[in-house]
Every structure is written in C-alpha cells, then in structure tokens.
Amino acid sequence: MEFDSELEKIIANSRLVAIDLNSEYISSFHFLIATLKSNNVAQKIFKSNDWKFQKLIELLKSDDKKILSKYYLTKEFNNVLKNGSFYARIYSDKKVNPEHIILAMLADKNSYAGNYLNEIEMDYFKFKKECEKIRSIKSNKFLEFFGSNKRLVSLGLLSII
C-alpha cells in the first residue's frame, strides 16, 4: 500500500528530528515528535490534548552520541511502518496516513512510542474515537479485532492476514 504524501513528509521530518536530537537512528519516538510539525489528524489530536512531548524530547537528547551521515530505522519503527498498511485496510483508506501509523504504534506492545502514548493515557480505542471526531472513519470489525489486540499484533499476525 502507498504512503500518503503527508506521511512521507513526517517520515522525512523524523530524520531531521533525529539529527536535531543527536540520534544515530530514526525511531518511533522521532516520528511522534515530527508529527507535531505537520498538519494531520494525529497532530490535531495531540494538540487538543496539549501534548508537546517535551519530556520525551529531553529524554532523547544526549551530547555523547556521534551524528552519523547514514540514518536507519530501528526494527521496532520499521515494523510499525509495515503494519500501518494493515490499519489503512481496516479503515478502507487507499493510502497509509499518519493516524494509521499512530494506531499501529498503540496496538503493538513492542512499540516504544506506543508504550509512551499509553503512559500518557492514550490507547488504541481512545485515539480511534478522537479520529472519528475529526474525520469520518468506518472500520472493518473483523480486521479491527486482530489489529487492536496487542498480543496478536506483537506475534506478527498482521503480516499473515
């Protein structure tokens, strides 16, 4: 499935965020921060909850890391991006949008950013409900059953379905 142009911009901005934070890799944390610099459903939800992720930014800053010219995705973030297309299918979208990536993070117990969002009281269904306030979404209940179950997602079931 193809990525939406806004999602491609966020992924590119994730690299810039990683550079700004002296990271040697691009993770789902960098994606969350880059989402705030864009105009999309996820950003609107984060803004309405007044989430600026300042604590996360401070945790990611470090002076002792060497900046590399080549950046790579962590395995965790790569899995989240791959799973994003499943969430686009759940909601019958033709392209993967930023909100699909956030849903993929929230549904995966191995996602660092998803766990961070859970800690600040955002879960899969709460995020979905906030999305419904901003845009019309209709889910395939069968696919959503698998996609919202952290255990099944973490076992890699989405790639089989």
Side-chain angles (χ1 to χ4, degrees), residues 68-138:
L68 301 177
S69 60
K70 294 183 181 178
Y71 280 75
Y72 60 92
L73 300 177
T74 60
K75 183 179 179 182
E76 168 261 342
F77 187 43
N78 192 45
N79 287 338
V80 166
L81 289 177
K82 285 179 184 177
N83 286 344
S85 62
F86 183 81
Y87 294 91
R89 280 190 12 219
I90 287 175
Y91 298 105
S92 303
D93 289 325
K94 295 188 186 317
K95 293 186 178 185
V96 180
N97 298 320
E99 58 268 27
H100 300 130
I101 302 301
I102 302 298
L103 288 165
M105 288 176 184
L106 289 166
D108 186 351
K109 71 178 183 180
N110 297 322
S111 169
Y112 303 128
N115 289 329
Y116 177 82
L117 289 171
N118 288 157
E119 287 175 15
I120 58 174
E121 299 182 10
M122 178 60 69
D123 66 16
Y124 181 93
F125 292 104
K126 186 174 179 182
F127 188 81
K128 177 188 169 192
K129 187 176 180 179
E130 293 290 327
C131 284
E132 289 170 337
K133 292 178 185 176
I134 297 171
R135 76 174 189 112
S136 175
I137 58 174
K138 185 176 179 181

Side-chain angles (χ1 to χ4, degrees), residues 2 4 6 9 20-21 28 49 61-62 65 70 78 87 91 93 103-104 106-107 116 119 125 140 142 149 152 157:
E2 188 178 333
D4 155 280
E6 191 64 35
K9 279 193 252 177
D20 288 345
L21 296 175
S28 56
N49 284 281
K61 284 184 180 178
S62 174
K65 293 181 182 175
K70 294 183 181 178
N78 192 45
Y87 294 91
Y91 298 105
D93 289 325
L103 288 165
L106 289 166
Y116 177 82
E119 287 175 15
F125 292 104
N140 176 319
F142 176 75
N149 185 307
L152 297 176
L157 187 67

